[in-house]
Amino acid sequence: MPPSNSIRSYAMMGSLLVSHVALAANSHVRRGAMETTSFLDPDSLAQQEQAIVSSLRDSSKHRSLQTECPGGALSGACNCMADLFGSSLDKGCTANDVEFVAITGIQVFDEGAYLDENDIWQGACRGNDDYVNLSFTANIDLSADRYDVGMYINSEGGSAYTDFSVPGSEETVAVVGGTVTIGEVETYPDKCPGFTHDVSGGATLIDFPFSTLRLKCVDSDGDAQGLLDFDIAIAWESNVNANTYCSPDNESTWPVPGTSSKCWKATTRFNVPVYVPPYTTGSLYYPDWINDSQVCLNDGEDPEYMLKVSRCHSFPMVIEKMLANIEVLTIQQCMGNDVPMYYSNGDFCDQKVDFEDWESKYTPGSWDSSDQFDTLKECCVAKFWYDVEGCIAASPKELTFSFTINIDNVVTPIYCQDADTMGNALEQAINIGLGNDSTSAVTGIGCATLSRNADTGNTECGGCLTGSYSGDYDGTYPDSYFSSSGSTSITVEVSTKSADCTDSSCLASLYNSIIADFTAFVSSGDLSNEIVSYAVNRIPPIPELWNALTETSFSTSGSYTDPFDDPNGVVAATSVTTSGTLSVDGLPTLTTSSAQQEASTYFETAITEALDAQGALPDGASVTITGFNNGQVEYEVTFSSTSEADATALVSNINTSLSQSTTLSSITSAVQTESSGGTLSMTSLSVNANTEGASTQIEAIVATSTGQLTTTLDTTGLSTTETDEVKTYFQEAITESIGSSLPEGSFVTVTNIDSSGVVSYEITIYADPSTDLGSMVSSFDDTLSQSLTAIQDKVIDDSTGVVQATSLTTSGELSVSGLSITTGAELTEATNYFQTAITDTLTDQGVLPDGAVVTVTGFSSGTVEYEILISAESSTDASQAVSQIKTSLGETATLSSITTAVQTESSGGNLSVTSLSVNSNSLGTSTEATVSKVTSTGQLTTSVSTSGLTSTQITEIATFFEASITSELASQGVLPESSYVTVTGIDSSGVVSYVVTMYNDPDEDSGAIVSSINSKLTQSLTSIQSAVQTSSSSGSASVAAALSTMTISSFSSGDTTGIANTGSVATALSTMTVSSFTAGTTSGVPDNLWYPDFGDQASGCLNNGFEPGYMKEDGNEKYYLFSSKSECCDQWFYYDPYCATSSSTKEKFYPDQST
């Protein structure tokens, strides 16, 4: 016979989802020797469960109930026996020919079901809206042979006869057959089987088997044991070959009684030994203390002792009320949104996700409410206040990063509770791909954001769900949740615990490993599978994720938080000093401090430029000459780096570069060129070798400060290279504006110049850990806001190529005796004598700069009036030179030298000054002017051979060439006043290199002047040759011999600097103005307030965030906490002048208030 159908309503998640479950009983029953055969399949339960899941996935599987019964009398559900037959049963059933007597055995197939000590099935029904899968045997009494027997059992718990009280209730119709004799069972293809017996007066079918039924967990009679019960009605035919043909899909063919005398209905309900909890599944949650999951569940797996309690006490029907009564778990834990928290393990602060029940931070009450912390710093400050830094160093480190991934067939939830549940499911799946030490937190689903309230631990929603809260839910699931199209972006934050990593490089490797593994997890489709699996198997399930399909890749910024950075936002760095020694030939003896300072400047500049050209000099690095010793130049290179490993690599690059001959040659050439314009000539110097010294690293911190300058610069038409050139000009101008307040190793970088002329910059600051970075950044901002014009002017000047310099004219009077001038010729002669005497004397003393011009402006009674014109690259340099000259002229020895020089010069002339005496000097006034510095280089090809000559002799030859070139250009009238010539080198082939340094009026055409100089030199080779040879006659014999046959064959011009540039960059900047300054963001600058450190190892004032709790209590902040270090020092360490400025390693005095 074909199986009949049982149809039940399965209400879940607010949607009516109907499952068709096949039930059948086809038995051959022999009285006395019970032999049974049934259609029960051992896998039927699994198949039924799968059918339920399938129906839940497809909400369209609704069964259309009839609206009119075959009998025509009733409307609504037409599955009960009387409903199907109609008014013929108005009088009820009056017969008992076939009667259901008792249930004799039962088998329950639900997972987790078990028999207790009273032979009652527990764990099958999880609530009074749940269903149980079971089969049973029963005893059925027969008074006569009956055919086409149909048994009606209401699977929804209502009446089997007629169910007016439960609209839509449906019946299980068991069409049964069997015999009580050994005779054949009646078999007609279109008829239902029946019962027959051969015992007059009646018989009983013993243990007649019912096939698998699915009944609703209903205890309607309220028996003391809380057992499931059901109602049954039976219909039959008295004759064989009745019209019923039993089609399971058509209720109109089901067996129905022809009259009231052909049916039986139970007068009481039959109990089944299956316990039914007195509450609704899904509305009552219980705390899961068995599986260590620390969540609240409503899966019906309540422990027996909880069920017993529930029979006597009504549990709250919502999770929040349950928590209020049980006072054990937090909403945050119950919802499964666990996050890593820090706690004290006695030795340091550790981190974990799963805590025991008594460890919850959010448990009401004060007994342990502060034992868990969001950050390592909070934990260490609270639990290890006596050694916070030690706690942080010993504790595991937390690496955090975020990523986004798009998931198809998922829509943005419309309730916060849905977002929370979806987020929890996604986290469970993501955590599998991240590994055991990582925990994820979904922070965004589409336009909805999720965050955790730090005080309560509850999930809070924002974005398009702002105002919604967890628990704000009406029990329905919109159709949009079952979308099969569209894509939603999911944002995730990941926290990874590392107990092994001890530095940043280890964490970098760990991060890369996590990303690689998770990339494989996503691309393989495993993440999609895990999401769907969890969403389906969860109790209750999460239908909005059943069709989730993640894209095969995810997006991350590639950055992560480094816990080895200071926990207060300060970024650790290292300050490096590496030393070395250059071996130098031709290094003059430096007997005075001014000579040592000048030589230091030349070498510092030369080493800096050479390393920079090789790409070996770190940004912000500085070179310092620390000493000169027997042909050796000792130096240090200081720079800062964000890691010790990087610092070591940079030191290696510096040493490698300085070991190369090309670098040493560059240093040699640079020193020769630089010294050509000073009082200390090192034109024959040669740098031959470098010896590496020691390197040291000390603790530092690094911060960045950004800002913008609003300008009128139009970058249209500028190439990338030209724009980079403009960036360089702004970098140098900003650096110069900040000046000496920028710590060593720090530097400025212009990061962008947009089309509207906004110049964005970043200042990278390396400083001592005790530095008040906040105050420093503020001072930078103040300085830049007041330096707009200076920045503007420097950028424009630098872009033109014109090098601004200073011309300073200082005057004075020499008081003399024994001088008598009566004629014009004598006046001229006296003027020359004094000009030469002053010039030579000051030059010999090393105080008269190259190019300086001494002019005697007049004679009066007993006085000689003079002016000295000095040109230098800066006003400071010019003023320093004037100061040295004035000091020298105030000394008796200088005045005596001038007297002697005048007397010597005049001995062959018409003016007799043998009785002259220069007695004193009176200072006059100084006048400063801006000039342009121009340099022009060139070479003379000669036949001079320097082989066999000493460095001193080569220097002597260079002096002859300098004087001859200067004299020739001056006589031709092309050498501007205050200009000078320097020979920078004479190589072994006889090539003489020189540079002409000029300080010109800015309005003069410097380009034309340089052209005139080059033209005259080309025409004057013979004259220069003759002058050199003539001069050499007064020199050493070796020099005279080397020059006696020397010839000058050619002249070639070299490079020129300081000539006005008229290119695109200069044009674009020529009319630019800088109108405003805007401060930007800072990083690495702690937001903590400064507080006095009164510990055993006091460090003055600190802002590491570890201030004792009493300093933060109400009313105490104004005494202990300050916005700047200087304020803190003024208040508590006013007697220590080093408090606000000294490094953290310097010992300090402090008030001992620890006792």
Side-chain angles (χ1 to χ4, degrees):
M1 63 175 276
S4 63
N5 279 7
S6 165
I7 302 159
R8 71 184 183 85
S9 296
Y10 189 86
M12 177 176 279
M13 305 298 187
S15 297
L16 180 63
L17 306 176
V18 181
S19 173
H20 297 254
V21 182
L23 303 175
N26 187 9
S27 303
H28 180 167
V29 184
R30 184 171 182 177
R31 192 174 184 187
M34 292 301 300
E35 180 182 334
T36 64
T37 303
S38 76
F39 286 101
L40 180 62
D41 185 342
D43 295 327
S44 62
L45 269 183
Q47 295 169 356
Q48 292 173 21
E49 293 290 351
Q50 183 60 42
I52 294 170
V53 171
S54 298
S55 69
L56 288 172
R57 284 182 175 277
D58 186 0
S59 60
S60 65
K61 290 184 179 180
H62 291 268
R63 179 179 181 276
S64 298
L65 299 178
Q66 299 178 23
T67 57
E68 186 174 330
C69 296
L74 301 173
S75 63
C78 301
N79 299 344
C80 298
M81 184 171 70
D83 301 337
L84 289 170
F85 189 70
S87 59
S88 297
L89 292 184
D90 289 348
K91 296 181 180 179
C93 292
T94 59
N96 56 3
D97 298 5
V98 181
E99 184 176 356
F100 190 96
V101 179
I103 293 175
T104 57
I106 182 173
Q107 182 66 42
V108 176
F109 304 106
D110 291 60
E111 182 179 359
Y114 63 94
L115 273 173
D116 64 14
E117 65 276 10
N118 298 317
D119 291 330
I120 296 175
W121 286 94
Q122 301 285 351
C125 286
R126 299 171 177 173
N128 57 22
D129 64 351
D130 194 11
Y131 291 80
V132 59
N133 300 281
L134 54 80
S135 66
F136 58 81
T137 57
N139 291 346
I140 300 175
D141 282 350
L142 302 174
S143 62
D145 294 348
R146 294 293 178 257
Y147 308 93
D148 299 340
V149 177
M151 297 186 184
Y152 289 75
I153 296 175
N154 193 322
S155 62
E156 290 297 311
S159 169
Y161 182 70
T162 183
D163 198 358
F164 300 106
S165 63
V166 185
S169 64
E170 302 171 4
E171 303 305 304
T172 292
V173 181
V175 182
V176 299
T179 178
V180 294
T181 68
I182 302 177
E184 294 294 326
V185 175
E186 182 182 34
T187 56
Y188 294 97
D190 60 346
K191 299 291 187 279
C192 296
F195 292 124
T196 61
H197 67 93
D198 60 355
V199 179
S200 61
T204 299
L205 276 80
I206 303 299
D207 297 332
F208 177 81
F210 279 70
S211 188
T212 305
L213 303 177
R214 190 171 182 85
L215 301 181
K216 187 171 184 179
C217 295
V218 173
D219 174 21
S220 62
D221 60 6
D223 62 285
Q225 292 180 301
L227 302 182
L228 180 149
D229 54 54
F230 65 87
D231 188 32
I232 185 170
I234 306 175
W236 62 83
E237 290 291 342
S238 299
N239 303 311
V240 179
N241 298 330
N243 293 329
T244 300
Y245 62 91
C246 299
S247 171
D249 296 323
N250 188 342
E251 291 97 327
S252 64
T253 68
W254 292 357
V256 293
T259 65
S260 297
S261 62
K262 294 183 178 182
C263 66
W264 172 90
K265 66 179 294 292
T267 58
T268 61
R269 296 175 67 86
F270 287 87
N271 285 323
V272 180
V274 175
Y275 174 68
V276 179
Y279 53 78
T280 301
T281 303
S283 61
L284 183 63
Y285 287 78
Y286 72 94
D288 178 14
W289 291 327
I290 297 177
N291 299 314
D292 292 330
S293 60
Q294 296 270 344
V295 297
C296 291
L297 302 176
N298 65 340
D299 57 4
E301 301 293 337
D302 321 39
E304 173 62 18
Y305 72 90
M306 294 186 186
L307 297 176
K308 291 179 179 178
V309 171
S310 71
R311 296 170 194 167
C312 302
H313 305 281
S314 177
F315 272 26
M317 302 307 286
V318 294
I319 191 169
E320 289 86 355
K321 291 182 180 179
M322 186 206 75
L323 293 173
N325 280 5
I326 299 179
E327 294 188 356
V328 173
L329 301 176
T330 69
I331 294 178
Q332 174 256 345
Q333 287 177 307
C334 283
M335 299 306 291
N337 297 333
D338 297 334
V339 295
M341 300 288 286
Y342 286 95
Y343 69 99
S344 169
N345 65 6
D347 298 322
F348 52 81
C349 285
D350 205 347
Q351 186 191 57
K352 64 181 180 180
V353 173
D354 297 325
F355 288 85
E356 300 298 333
D357 306 325
W358 56 86
E359 293 180 307
S360 172
K361 173 180 179 180
Y362 304 108
T363 301
S366 60
W367 46 284
D368 68 348
S369 60
S370 61
D371 280 349
Q372 293 178 34
F373 307 90
D374 289 313
T375 67
L376 175 59
K377 173 189 168 183
E378 290 175 340
C379 179
C380 287
V381 169
K383 296 298 182 180
F384 299 91
W385 49 268
Y386 48 86
D387 186 15
V388 175
E389 293 182 349
C391 168
I392 290 176
S395 301
K397 304 303 183 290
E398 181 184 19
L399 178 154
T400 61
F401 65 93
S402 63
F403 69 85
T404 58
I405 187 168
N406 292 331
I407 303 183
D408 295 338
N409 308 327
V410 172
V411 299
T412 300
I414 62 174
Y415 297 106
C416 185
Q417 182 169 314
D418 294 345
D420 192 26
T421 304
M422 290 170 66
N424 176 246
L426 294 170
E427 290 162 4
Q428 299 295 326
I430 291 168
N431 288 345
I432 294 174
L434 292 173
N436 294 333
D437 292 329
S438 297
T439 304
S440 64
V442 172
T443 58
I445 304 177
C447 61
T449 62
L450 296 90
S451 61
R452 185 175 63 89
N453 186 299
D455 294 327
T456 66
N458 294 342
T459 298
E460 294 182 346
C461 292
C464 57
L465 291 184
T466 300
S468 180
Y469 60 93
S470 184
D472 181 13
Y473 174 58
D474 66 0
T476 64
Y477 273 61
D479 290 339
S480 62
Y481 281 6
F482 302 92
S483 171
S484 60
S485 63
S487 178
T488 298
S489 176
I490 309 298
T491 305
V492 183
E493 291 184 356
V494 178
S495 169
T496 300
K497 172 185 173 181
S498 173
D500 299 326
C501 283
T502 58
D503 56 31
S504 295
S505 60
C506 174
L507 284 179
S509 298
L510 175 62
Y511 170 76
N512 291 332
S513 175
I514 294 172
I515 293 298
D517 292 345
F518 192 68
T519 298
F521 182 71
V522 172
S523 61
S524 66
D526 288 345
L527 177 57
S528 295
N529 295 337
E530 293 294 343
I531 293 173
V532 173
S533 175
Y534 185 84
V536 169
N537 294 316
R538 183 181 184 273
I539 301 174
I542 310 174
E544 56 266 52
L545 295 176
W546 279 341
N547 297 315
L549 182 63
T550 65
E551 294 187 356
T552 56
S553 63
F554 60 96
S555 174
T556 180
S557 65
S559 61
Y560 55 89
T561 58
D562 187 343
F564 290 101
D565 292 340
D566 189 274
N568 304 291
V570 176
V571 181
T574 181
S575 179
V576 184
T577 299
T578 183
S579 62
T581 303
L582 295 176
S583 296
V584 182
D585 287 341
L587 182 66
T589 302
L590 307 172
T591 58
T592 65
S593 60
S594 60
Q596 291 177 357
Q597 182 178 359
E598 185 175 349
S600 296
T601 301
Y602 297 153
F603 274 98
E604 287 169 358
T605 302
I607 295 172
T608 299
E609 291 178 350
L611 290 176
D612 195 38
Q614 294 283 339
L617 192 69
D619 285 337
S622 62
V623 178
T624 304
I625 301 302
T626 57
F628 298 92
N629 185 20
N630 296 327
Q632 293 184 328
V633 179
E634 300 166 355
Y635 66 86
E636 289 182 347
V637 181
T638 302
F639 64 91
S640 296
S641 175
T642 55
S643 75
E644 294 182 5
D646 290 346
T648 301
L650 291 169
V651 168
S652 178
N653 291 342
I654 291 171
N655 291 331
T656 299
S657 179
L658 288 173
S659 68
Q660 297 171 354
S661 59
T662 53
T663 306
L664 300 179
S665 295
S666 297
I667 295 172
T668 298
S669 178
V671 171
Q672 291 174 344
T673 301
E674 287 292 324
S675 67
S676 65
T679 59
L680 182 65
S681 178
M682 292 188 282
T683 55
S684 60
L685 170 143
S686 176
V687 180
N688 302 318
N690 175 67
T691 302
E692 296 178 15
S695 294
T696 60
Q697 296 187 16
I698 61 174
E699 181 183 357
I701 55 177
V702 60
T704 60
S705 174
T706 66
Q708 292 181 331
L709 298 175
T710 302
T711 77
T712 58
L713 174 63
D714 183 4
T715 58
T716 304
L718 294 182
S719 66
T720 301
T721 302
E722 290 169 335
T723 302
D724 289 341
E725 182 182 344
V726 176
K727 289 181 180 179
T728 301
Y729 297 146
F730 272 100
Q731 283 176 186
E732 293 174 352
I734 295 171
T735 301
E736 184 176 289
S737 296
I738 297 174
S740 59
S741 59
L742 189 65
E744 187 175 41
S746 305
F747 55 91
V748 177
T749 304
V750 171
T751 56
N752 185 53
I753 302 177
D754 66 19
S755 57
S756 61
V758 174
V759 178
S760 300
Y761 70 85
E762 179 178 272
I763 305 175
T764 302
I765 307 166
Y766 288 98
D768 180 271
S770 66
T771 301
D772 186 349
L773 291 174
S775 297
M776 179 177 287
V777 169
S778 296
S779 70
F780 290 166
D781 292 344
D782 292 341
T783 298
L784 290 173
S785 66
Q786 300 171 21
S787 305
L788 302 182
T789 301
I791 292 173
Q792 170 188 305
D793 293 344
K794 179 168 175 56
V795 169
I796 294 175
D797 290 343
D798 289 350
S799 70
T800 63
V802 175
V803 179
Q804 281 193 345
T806 298
S807 175
L808 193 62
T809 302
T810 184
S811 63
E813 293 181 349
L814 294 175
S815 175
V816 301
S817 59
L819 177 61
S820 176
I821 300 174
T822 58
T823 65
E826 289 177 342
L827 177 62
T828 301
E829 195 172 340
T831 299
N832 292 332
Y833 296 157
F834 274 96
Q835 286 179 173
T836 302
I838 295 172
T839 300
D840 291 345
T841 299
L842 294 177
T843 300
D844 291 343
Q845 292 189 355
V847 297
L848 192 68
D850 284 340
V853 179
V854 178
T855 304
V856 173
T857 57
F859 295 88
S860 60
S861 179
T863 61
V864 179
E865 300 168 358
Y866 66 88
E867 288 182 347
I868 302 177
L869 173 63
I870 299 169
S871 296
E873 292 187 4
S874 69
S875 176
T876 301
D877 291 343
S879 299
Q880 184 177 5
V882 168
S883 177
Q884 291 175 345
I885 290 171
K886 290 179 177 180
T887 299
S888 179
L889 289 173
E891 295 174 352
T892 303
T894 303
L895 300 179
S896 295
S897 296
I898 295 174
T899 299
T900 301
V902 171
Q903 290 174 343
T904 302
E905 287 290 327
S906 67
S907 62
N910 297 319
L911 179 63
S912 177
V913 290
T914 56
S915 60
L916 175 80
S917 176
V918 180
N919 303 316
S920 64
N921 177 66
S922 298
L923 302 178
T925 60
S926 296
T927 304
E928 186 175 307
T930 299
V931 295
S932 298
K933 180 182 179 181
V934 178
T935 62
S936 176
T937 65
Q939 290 179 333
L940 298 175
T941 302
T942 77
S943 62
V944 67
S945 175
T946 59
S947 60
L949 297 179
T950 66
S951 59
T952 301
Q953 291 168 336
I954 294 174
T955 301
E956 188 178 346
I957 293 175
T959 302
F960 295 150
F961 271 97
E962 287 174 356
S964 299
I965 295 171
T966 300
S967 177
E968 184 63 28
L969 293 177
S971 65
Q972 295 287 342
V974 295
L975 190 64
E977 186 179 39
S978 196
S979 300
Y980 54 94
V981 177
T982 305
V983 171
T984 58
I986 304 175
D987 66 18
S988 59
S989 61
V991 174
V992 179
S993 300
Y994 70 89
V995 59
V996 180
T997 303
M998 296 164 277
Y999 291 94
N1000 302 330
D1001 187 298
D1003 295 331
E1004 288 186 299
D1005 187 348
S1006 295
I1009 295 173
V1010 171
S1011 295
S1012 297
I1013 289 173
N1014 291 337
S1015 176
K1016 294 301 181 181
L1017 286 173
T1018 302
Q1019 302 168 16
S1020 306
L1021 299 182
T1022 302
S1023 299
I1024 295 172
Q1025 173 185 315
S1026 177
V1028 170
Q1029 291 172 335
T1030 300
S1031 299
S1032 67
S1033 61
S1034 62
S1036 65
S1038 298
V1039 171
L1043 294 174
S1044 61
T1045 59
M1046 184 254 330
T1047 60
I1048 300 177
S1049 58
S1050 66
F1051 158 77
S1052 59
S1053 61
D1055 297 328
T1056 301
T1057 64
I1059 302 297
N1061 180 9
T1062 57
S1064 300
V1065 171
T1067 302
L1069 291 171
S1070 61
T1071 59
M1072 177 205 69
T1073 59
V1074 180
S1075 57
S1076 64
F1077 158 78
T1078 304
T1081 60
T1082 61
S1083 65
V1085 178
D1087 295 329
N1088 305 313
L1089 296 175
W1090 292 86
Y1091 71 95
D1093 178 20
F1094 300 140
D1096 292 338
Q1097 297 178 343
S1099 299
C1101 290
L1102 302 176
N1103 69 334
N1104 56 14
F1106 301 153
E1107 62 271 11
Y1110 72 88
M1111 294 186 181
K1112 298 183 289 186
E1113 293 177 358
D1114 291 342
N1116 286 347
E1117 296 95 331
K1118 61 183 178 180
Y1119 300 111
Y1120 295 106
L1121 303 181
F1122 306 88
S1123 60
S1124 71
K1125 186 177 184 180
S1126 60
E1127 292 176 330
C1128 175
C1129 288
D1130 290 344
Q1131 176 69 28
W1132 291 99
F1133 302 98
Y1134 55 86
Y1135 45 83
D1136 180 4
Y1138 301 105
C1139 175
T1141 58
S1142 59
S1143 68
S1144 58
T1145 58
K1146 188 179 293 297
E1147 294 183 358
K1148 307 177 181 67
F1149 292 97
Y1150 63 96
D1152 184 6
Q1153 299 185 5
S1154 59
T1155 59

